[in-house]
Amino acid sequence: MQTDVEFLLNGKKVTGAAEPRTHLADFIREDALASGTHIGCEQGVCGACTVFVDGRPTRSCITLAAACNGADIRTVEGFDTDPLMEAIRDSFKRHHGLQCGFCTPGMLTTAYDIIRRIPDADRETIRKELSGNLCRCTGYAGIVDAIEDVLKEAPAAALQPTERPRSAISATSAAPKAAEISDSKQAPSPETVIVADMALPAADSFETATVLRKTMHLSAGPEEAWRLISSPEAIVSCIPGATLSGPVTNGIANGACNVSAGPIKAQFRGTASITYLPETKSGQLLGRGKDGLSRSGLEGRLDFQLVPNDNASDINLEMRYRLNGPLSQFGRPALVEEIANGLLADIAQAIDATLSGNDATAGRTQPQRSLSGFRLLFNAFKGLIRRTLSTR
Amino acid sequence: MKPVDFSYLNAMNLEQAENALAGQSCSIVSGNQSLGPMMNLRLARPGVLLDVSRVEELRRAEETDTEVRFGAAVTHAEIEDGTVPDPTGGWMRAAASNIAHRAVRNRGTIGGSLCHADPAADWVTVLPALSAQISIAGPDGVRKVDAIDFVVGPYATVLAPGEIVVSVAVPKPSAAARWGYWKFVRQVGEFSKASAAILDDPDTGRSRVIVGALGRQPLLIDKPDDVIAGRIDGKAALSHALPDMPACAVRMHAVAIDRAIEQMAGSPE
């Protein structure tokens, strides 16, 4: 599906069709062929793609082209005769405010905004305001000097923030009626690629990994609980979102686990192994999984031990994990721990329900669960647990 | 990377947005500054995106004698610049000015940040401390939820499918009220590692101590007056509320409470 895009780019009207997912930076570069806007990280961190949208600095890599209908967009090419930008360019040159030039379009845009918005900015303020633009070669001293220099006697800024008139919205971007909505594309289906067995990480490779320790309480006694835990298929059925892709052979399981936390959705596919030590009612799970679409990886080791607690039992868990790829950027330890807590509570509840003969889903009462907010890493871990448990 | 393909709907008024939500399940987006990176990294793969950044009703801020009601799509920069009224006489402006970076603040919105519900986000911590109330429109009309009850976990809120946050009402504190908001960041613009927001407002009875960036939903501390007066120290209050919290986290968040109290003591009313 394509959507119509129409806006002013450096004073000239630009029209075109774009996929809704096309971000503004790509549209400017690939469709409008204005390559002065640079794309660095493409995730809103480096600031290289910063352009003016309606007179306000904006990250064009995380702004959709379709969201800019009717906008007035100014890129680094659009300042040839702007006295303030002329002064900034000159000052960058004199103060060695650039070397390779990759960050420069974003730096110039941000510099313009700082000078316009904070005419009395001192060096500290300039640095704070510049902190969203990364430079990897000159260092920032020259850039800060350049801005400070212009601030001494800055020409008036010709470009000012404007409110985009609502009437400027082209008809194509009007909200659809219900009938059109029902025709809209559904969420893409998960990948159908069958993942080959992945090599397992070494058990001793997690010494420096993040560690989470938890104890889950089970209402069943240790003997009864162990019977369930030592059956890989049974334990997998207690882990929400996880499936085995085939029978467990030679202690190795392959499977998938759907994970979601708020807007984050991932499907980890991978391999795990499990080792049981019946005499101590303990064991170890090792696994590795990958979410193909985001190219995020998770590998971990889970050590578990069942201990009696009156007539019931506790299962002590020690998890070590490493995240890599995009997901690692969102895997702050405090978040992961919280997500793990929710997940483990679910698993414990499902184990209890299974052992007492109830529907594993019937006993869930926590409101957070119904929002499915906690599946992220722990689903992955569940996946590992299931797989491991099923790999005897 | 580029996002996975999706359908895009753009609402200009609330009715259009509600119709779109009634039709099918949509991910609501405004500034796209939090969802955008996740989509570019393909960690978020919405099938349908409903853009409400230009919805007329969500772009307003209305001031009354007792409160300011911010439309959900009012941007951080508009709050920072004072383009919309600040019911707190500058505290919200200051908080807004330290959210991420200016280019992000130009697009990111107060309602979007709340709904994204990152536990370390600024409004997620600040708004409960100010006793804000969230108005949510849904198929059955409008309901109101206290900000402290809105976020229920990491990236999780009380929003049901088909619901949309319309506005955030922030009551005006009394003239004698004091405020402190401190967050621990190692570099400007990153998500905080610990934070605390404190309102001392005996005249209205709305004194509150909120601890944020815990990984979970914001924590409302018991007996805020005792914490503010120093009769209960931050560590004790945190350990009491969250007994399983690791010692280093207790310490970091206790420092956030202390700094917020210091800030409050030093700030002119």
Side-chain angles (χ1 to χ4, degrees), chain B residues 4-25:
Chain B
V4 174
D5 201 11
F6 51 81
S7 297
Y8 177 78
L9 311 174
N10 194 347
M12 286 295 127
N13 58 48
L14 197 53
E15 192 189 346
Q16 288 177 343
E18 285 174 326
N19 286 344
L21 285 167
Q24 69 177 89
S25 121

Side-chain angles (χ1 to χ4, degrees), chain B residues 6-84:
Chain B
F6 51 81
S7 297
Y8 177 78
L9 311 174
N10 194 347
M12 286 295 127
N13 58 48
L14 197 53
E15 192 189 346
Q16 288 177 343
E18 285 174 326
N19 286 344
L21 285 167
Q24 69 177 89
S25 121
C26 306
S27 288
I28 302 175
V29 66
S30 186
N32 201 39
Q33 302 299 288
S34 296
L35 188 60
M38 285 185 174
M39 289 200 303
N40 283 10
L41 294 169
R42 301 196 166 190
L43 291 169
R45 306 148 188 176
V48 183
L49 211 57
L50 172 63
D51 187 336
V52 298
S53 62
R54 313 217 54 227
V55 167
E56 215 175 341
E57 295 90 333
L58 306 189
R59 293 279 304 131
R60 299 182 192 132
E62 286 157 12
E63 183 169 17
T64 68
D65 289 346
T66 55
E67 64 178 25
V68 171
R69 184 174 292 271
F70 297 92
V74 168
T75 65
H76 311 314
E78 286 164 340
I79 295 171
E80 175 186 13
D81 294 348
T83 311
V84 292

Side-chain angles (χ1 to χ4, degrees), chain A residues 5-353:
Chain A
V5 177
E6 178 182 323
F7 52 70
L8 280 182
L9 178 62
N10 300 325
K12 288 188 190 133
K13 193 199 262 189
V14 170
T15 56
E19 286 185 23
R21 62 175 171 165
T22 307
H23 57 62
L24 179 60
D26 268 349
F27 190 86
I28 291 172
R29 290 174 55 86
E30 308 289 335
D31 292 76
L33 302 177
S35 58
T37 299
H38 293 169
I39 300 175
C41 69
E42 216 171 13
Q43 49 181 288
V45 172
C46 77
C49 69
T50 310
V51 302
F52 282 101
V53 175
D54 299 323
R56 294 172 175 276
T58 299
R59 300 204 152 155
S60 56
C61 75
I62 50 172
T63 299
L64 297 171
C68 294
N69 267 312
D72 183 359
I73 291 166
R74 194 83 74 89
T75 65
V76 71
E77 293 101 326
F79 288 93
D80 285 354
T81 58
D82 185 301
L84 174 54
M85 192 60 98
E86 219 167 318
I88 297 170
R89 281 196 302 257
D90 184 56
S91 191
F92 266 59
K93 217 161 31 180
R94 279 183 286 112
H95 291 279
H96 192 51
L98 73 161
Q99 185 172 307
C100 82
F102 200 88
C103 71
T104 310
M107 287 289 179
L108 292 172
T109 305
T110 302
Y112 191 102
D113 183 58
I114 294 171
I115 294 163
R116 174 182 74 180
R117 201 161 45 83
I118 319 172
D120 58 349
D122 56 15
R123 284 186 78 82
E124 197 187 341
T125 307
I126 294 170
R127 280 188 171 266
K128 177 171 178 269
E129 293 291 330
L130 266 184
S131 61
N133 290 71
L134 304 185
C135 166
R136 293 286 87 135
C137 42
T138 63
Y140 301 95
I143 298 170
V144 175
D145 288 345
I147 295 172
E148 208 178 18
D149 204 355
V150 177
L151 273 167
K152 284 179 198 153
E153 208 175 337
L159 182 63
Q160 294 291 336
T162 53
E163 187 71 16
R164 196 186 315 171
R166 221 161 284 275
S167 58
I169 299 301
S170 69
T172 50
S173 68
K177 296 170 190 69
E180 292 172 46
I181 292 162
S182 61
D183 291 333
S184 291
K185 185 181 314 174
Q186 295 302 309
S189 56
E191 284 179 311
T192 51
V193 183
I194 303 298
V195 175
D197 290 22
M198 299 178 96
L200 290 168
D204 60 1
S205 69
F206 292 95
E207 297 313 317
T208 59
T210 314
V211 187
L212 284 177
R213 290 184 182 85
K214 286 289 155 205
T215 297
M216 291 195 292
H217 183 71
L218 301 175
S219 43
E223 296 301 329
E224 203 186 348
W226 181 253
R227 272 200 297 280
L228 186 140
I229 286 167
S230 59
S231 157
E233 284 76 11
I235 194 73
V236 168
S237 71
C238 294
I239 303 169
T243 49
L244 289 169
S245 61
V248 178
T249 46
N250 300 326
I252 301 290
N254 286 295
C257 196
N258 291 318
V259 171
S260 76
I264 297 175
K265 302 259 188 303
Q267 185 182 47
F268 282 93
R269 291 170 176 276
T271 300
S273 74
I274 191 164
T275 322
Y276 288 112
L277 296 170
E279 57 277 14
T280 53
K281 291 194 174 53
S282 64
Q284 185 182 78
L285 178 68
L286 265 181
R288 172 178 282 160
K290 190 168 171 109
D291 174 49
L293 276 176
S294 71
R295 295 188 217 163
S296 295
L298 167 68
E299 49 190 32
R301 181 179 117 190
L302 171 68
D303 295 283
F304 57 92
Q305 181 161 32
L306 205 53
V307 294
N309 179 347
D310 288 335
N311 292 326
S313 51
D314 285 334
I315 184 165
N316 296 322
L317 301 170
E318 194 170 286
M319 289 172 278
R320 294 161 204 274
Y321 69 91
R322 280 190 292 263
L323 283 169
N324 56 59
L327 192 58
S328 62
Q329 299 179 30
F330 296 91
R332 283 171 265 150
L335 266 179
V336 172
E337 184 167 1
E338 189 63 28
I339 290 165
N341 287 342
L343 188 62
L344 290 172
D346 280 358
I347 296 174
Q349 215 163 20
I351 291 174
D352 277 348

Side-chain angles (χ1 to χ4, degrees), chain B residues 155-249:
Chain B
Y155 304 125
T157 68
V158 296
L159 283 180
E163 288 189 320
I164 179 172
V165 168
V166 179
S167 64
V168 179
V170 179
K172 292 182 179 174
S174 72
R178 300 183 305 157
W179 170 254
Y181 173 51
W182 193 84
K183 62 175 178 176
F184 171 41
V185 287
R186 279 190 290 209
Q187 59 186 45
V188 176
E190 71 171 7
F191 278 110
S192 55
K193 307 229 166 358
S195 69
I198 302 182
L199 177 67
D200 180 26
D201 194 358
D203 292 357
T204 62
R206 285 198 298 259
S207 295
R208 275 190 169 182
V209 177
I210 301 282
V211 177
L214 287 164
R216 47 158 270 159
Q217 62 271 40
L219 174 69
L220 176 66
I221 297 280
D222 285 344
K223 301 179 184 163
D225 294 333
D226 289 340
V227 175
I228 291 166
R231 291 187 291 271
I232 297 177
D233 79 353
K235 264 189 207 173
L238 282 162
S239 306
H240 175 71
L242 300 173
D244 294 337
M245 199 171 170
C248 62

